[in-house]
Amino acid sequence: MSLRPLHDRVIVKRLDQETRTASGLVIPDSAAEKPDQGEIVAVGPGRRDSEGKRVAPDVAVGDRVLFGKYSGQAVKVNGDELLVLREEDIVAVLDAR
């Protein structure tokens, strides 16, 4: 099964966070916070403006993004936990420099 987001929605796969602190302590899964960054796996066609014209999204598949901690709707597809977000819930795109 595959997901195809509608309108201005994107599907994001959360990136795993570091499980060790800088001093080498291991953080258990129960104490770790959910990561607030991920990789976009699918992008909808974009929203429509007041004249009915399609506005293309600013993000693309493969972009690494930051989003709010409690934003989006979590879904499970083929054992993978994915997040469905509106494009406006994305705070920033991470550039790989």
Side-chain angles (χ1 to χ4, degrees):
M1 174 167 61
S2 65
L3 291 176
R4 182 176 52 97
L6 301 176
H7 308 294
D8 65 337
R9 290 181 171 75
V10 298
I11 298 177
V12 175
K13 183 173 185 177
R14 289 183 192 263
L15 296 175
D16 294 331
Q17 271 194 320
E18 187 74 31
T19 57
R20 290 185 180 268
T21 64
S23 61
L25 296 174
V26 176
I27 301 171
D29 289 339
S30 59
E33 293 184 11
K34 289 187 176 180
D36 55 357
Q37 56 181 287
E39 183 176 344
I40 295 180
V41 294
V43 178
R47 63 178 176 82
R48 295 199 181 266
D49 63 10
S50 59
E51 297 174 2
K53 295 179 183 173
R54 182 122 9 225
V55 177
D58 291 329
V59 294
V61 173
D63 284 350
R64 292 181 66 161
V65 295
L66 295 177
F67 48 86
K69 188 179 288 192
Y70 300 108
S71 58
Q73 176 67 41
V75 294
K76 205 167 213 176
V77 177
N78 296 335
D80 291 332
E81 187 170 324
L82 302 172
L83 199 60
V84 180
L85 300 166
R86 287 188 168 274
E87 185 183 17
E88 64 192 29
D89 291 337
I90 296 173
V91 178
V93 177
L94 299 171
D95 288 329
R97 289 188 183 196

